[in-house]
Amino acid sequence: MNKEELFGLPSNLLINSSLLLLKQGLLVKHRPDLSATIPLTSTSTKYSKYLKLIKNGEGPKINSGIVVGTVRMGYGHHRMAYSVYSHAIDKKKEVHLHDLVEIESKEANIVKEVDGVYSSLSRYASELGGGLEWALGLVTSQGNVYSLQFSTMLANDLKNLLKDVSFHLPYISTYPINGQIAASCGFEKIVHLVPDNLPQYFLLVPKAMNLVQSPSSYMKFIDMGIPKENLAVAGHWVSFDVATNSIKDSEKRIKRIQKRCPKRLLLPIGGAGAQKKYILELLKNLGNKLRDKELYLFLNAGNHKGFFDTLKDFFEKSNIETEIISDTDSLFQFCKKNDLSENEKNLKPVTLFYFENYFEAFSTTDKLIRISDILITKPSELAFYPIPKIFIRRVGEHEAQSVFRSIELGEGTTECREVSHSMDMINLLCEEKNLSLRMNECIIRNSQNQIYNGAKFALDMALSMK
């Protein structure tokens, strides 16, 4: 494996100086103590006896198991981490989740600042469109080698977020700076999951094995000068239950199509809480179909309290019967009694989900996928999940390539930039039997070809590294 800084790609002395100044500005603002070591331990979670969370503390040191690195930036990177550790839990492997912003420190505040800026820009760009959307698209799709250089330089000064963990453990990163910090700390077994389907330098981790989700992404990275020994095609990052049941669930969807069951649409709100205007307009257009029970809607508001209140008020004023679920026990019971093999006798036209807890907010979507016919989503990491998909307006230009990947596999629509286009696609998939059938048949074929097993591939690779 290539162990050079920046994979041996050339850098520029003048740009190096500029990047150092930019990095120094962040350090001066937050003033982390680079000479100190933040004591870290891992604490139990209520989700599994095998899953632990790395936090500040003087407790037992982390010397066994595997480490899965992520950061609370939207839901996408945590969803990728979940895809990996759900497979690890199935293997009864001890997992330590390394969420950078869970560690109380000045270093974590630097990461939070970057996340805050991105989330705010995403919301404003999706609501206002125009020049701001264009500018955000430019920023999120122009990740040149200097953006990677800046990221690795910053990671070297954030080592305290990981330095107290044994570097002999396998480290699986789902956000670039996690893997870059691990490399700076001397971790020798690093597997990095590359998000999206648009190759950009800053999405990579030098000195690590970088796994991508598609052959086209792999070939473009090779053309960009990334060494072959640092790259591999793994498949899509999909959680254990969804991946292992993808064929069985698709077969159930096919039976529902043949019996002309009304479609169950799943619409999750993204982690940044963007697209409020678009979603409310879409719901207005769906109003009559929901009232007449021509279709059913599962709407996951995540942990966005303000958006949840807006949605709840909207359905009350629209006289659309709604069930609200906001605790884990109710969610499990709901999924159990509304399996895809069941009819809709237990369902209200709309089921609205909201959770204060971050984990439950994003992981609920994975559970609802297994009882839904169609997923309506922006082209986020959900674009790679095994369920027929209608893509609504993207947030950031980098998401466009994820749509192309789904179309290539035959299990998603084109991107619907306007609500009228989304309605056309909803009507088409609800009324045109053959199109829905073909999408599910493609998912079955893709599942047989192991396309949705990328997370399992990544875990197996990390565990086998010497």
Side-chain angles (χ1 to χ4, degrees), residues 249-305:
D249 291 344
S250 295
E251 289 171 342
K252 288 181 180 179
R253 292 186 188 108
I254 288 173
K255 288 180 181 178
R256 287 174 53 78
I257 293 167
Q258 292 168 337
K259 291 193 292 186
R260 295 283 183 180
C261 296
K263 291 289 192 293
R264 301 175 180 182
L265 308 182
L266 169 58
L267 175 56
I269 308 300
Q275 298 178 304
K276 181 177 180 179
K277 181 179 176 182
Y278 188 108
I279 289 170
L280 288 174
E281 187 180 343
L282 178 61
L283 294 176
K284 288 176 185 176
N285 279 267
L286 288 172
N288 287 334
K289 291 181 180 294
L290 293 170
R291 277 186 287 266
D292 296 339
K293 296 186 177 180
E294 293 179 26
L295 51 79
Y296 294 83
L297 178 65
F298 304 150
L299 207 167
N300 182 15
N303 61 343
H304 304 296
K305 181 65 164 63

Side-chain angles (χ1 to χ4, degrees), residues 430-445:
C430 289
E431 297 167 9
E432 175 53 58
K433 177 179 175 180
N434 289 335
L435 182 57
S436 293
L437 280 172
R438 283 198 297 272
M439 282 186 168
N440 281 290
E441 288 166 354
C442 286
I443 290 168
I444 291 172
R445 184 181 67 244

Side-chain angles (χ1 to χ4, degrees), residues 44-282:
S44 300
T45 68
K46 65 179 181 180
Y47 308 110
S48 170
K49 66 179 181 180
Y50 299 107
L51 179 64
K52 302 179 184 299
L53 181 63
I54 295 178
K55 303 190 84 167
N56 309 66
E58 298 287 355
K61 294 305 174 187
I62 303 162
N63 296 312
S64 62
I66 63 171
V67 184
V68 176
T70 189
V71 68
R72 196 170 304 181
M73 184 174 286
Y75 292 153
H77 298 285
H78 256 262
R79 191 178 305 285
M80 292 165 64
Y82 178 51
S83 74
V84 174
Y85 66 69
S86 62
H87 282 273
I89 288 170
D90 176 67
K91 291 179 179 287
K92 297 181 172 54
K93 299 292 184 182
E94 182 183 32
V95 182
H96 305 276
L97 183 63
H98 182 225
D99 178 357
L100 298 181
V101 301
E102 275 287 341
I103 299 168
E104 295 178 9
S105 63
K106 293 177 179 178
E107 288 87 346
N109 291 338
I110 294 174
V111 179
K112 289 177 186 176
E113 180 174 332
V114 174
D115 175 33
V117 171
Y118 176 77
S119 295
S120 297
L121 286 175
S122 296
R123 286 192 294 271
Y124 291 136
S126 67
E127 297 303 315
L128 301 176
L132 184 56
E133 185 180 29
W134 172 83
L136 181 64
L138 193 65
V139 169
T140 57
S141 63
Q142 300 295 318
N144 60 28
V145 70
Y146 302 116
S147 61
L148 173 61
Q149 186 176 359
F150 174 73
S151 183
T152 55
M153 289 165 62
L154 182 61
N156 192 55
D157 289 324
L158 299 179
K159 287 189 291 187
N160 280 342
L161 292 171
L162 184 61
K163 198 163 58 175
D164 201 34
V165 176
S166 171
F167 63 83
H168 297 295
L169 301 181
Y171 192 100
I172 304 176
S173 64
T174 62
Y175 188 70
I177 204 161
N178 284 85
Q180 293 158 9
I181 291 171
S184 294
C185 288
F187 277 72
E188 299 165 345
K189 296 179 281 189
I190 306 171
V191 173
H192 174 59
L193 278 58
V194 179
D196 303 325
N197 198 42
L198 176 64
Q200 301 183 82
Y201 287 105
F202 79 88
L203 296 176
L204 300 172
V205 176
K207 305 180 182 180
M209 175 56 75
N210 293 266
L211 303 182
V212 297
Q213 300 187 82
S214 72
S216 61
S217 180
Y218 175 86
M219 293 307 301
K220 288 173 185 173
F221 273 125
I222 293 295
D223 286 344
M224 290 161 58
I226 305 305
K228 288 187 295 184
E229 60 265 34
N230 291 78
L231 277 176
V233 182
H236 296 185
W237 321 131
V238 179
S239 56
F240 175 79
D241 278 344
V242 178
T244 54
N245 291 289
S246 55
I247 293 177
K248 181 172 68 175
D249 291 344
S250 295
E251 289 171 342
K252 288 181 180 179
R253 292 186 188 108
I254 288 173
K255 288 180 181 178
R256 287 174 53 78
I257 293 167
Q258 292 168 337
K259 291 193 292 186
R260 295 283 183 180
C261 296
K263 291 289 192 293
R264 301 175 180 182
L265 308 182
L266 169 58
L267 175 56
I269 308 300
Q275 298 178 304
K276 181 177 180 179
K277 181 179 176 182
Y278 188 108
I279 289 170
L280 288 174
E281 187 180 343
L282 178 61

Side-chain angles (χ1 to χ4, degrees), residues 356-386:
E356 293 182 357
N357 179 279
Y358 180 87
F359 173 84
E360 291 164 351
F362 80 82
S363 63
T364 289
T365 297
D366 288 58
K367 295 175 177 62
L368 294 176
I369 280 173
R370 296 207 53 214
I371 63 167
S372 301
D373 292 304
I374 298 168
L375 173 66
I376 302 175
T377 180
K378 73 183 185 73
S380 60
E381 285 304 317
L382 287 171
F384 300 91
Y385 268 57

Side-chain angles (χ1 to χ4, degrees), residues 309-349:
D309 290 337
T310 299
L311 292 167
K312 182 181 174 184
D313 184 58
F314 169 83
F315 291 123
E316 287 176 356
K317 290 180 177 177
S318 302
N319 196 30
I320 298 174
E321 198 176 3
T322 304
E323 180 179 0
I324 294 173
I325 290 179
S326 56
D327 66 87
T328 304
D329 289 340
S330 297
L331 171 65
F332 281 119
Q333 288 301 315
F334 178 84
C335 292
K336 184 177 180 180
K337 71 180 182 181
N338 291 296
D339 180 272
L340 280 168
S341 60
E342 301 294 325
N343 59 34
E344 279 61 52
K345 66 181 179 181
N346 295 313
L347 285 175
K348 301 282 179 65

Side-chain angles (χ1 to χ4, degrees), residues 443-463:
I443 290 168
I444 291 172
R445 184 181 67 244
N446 297 335
S447 299
Q448 291 168 340
N449 291 332
Q450 309 293 307
I451 283 173
Y452 305 114
N453 283 357
K456 180 180 182 299
F457 182 97
L459 175 67
D460 291 343
M461 175 175 281
L463 292 173

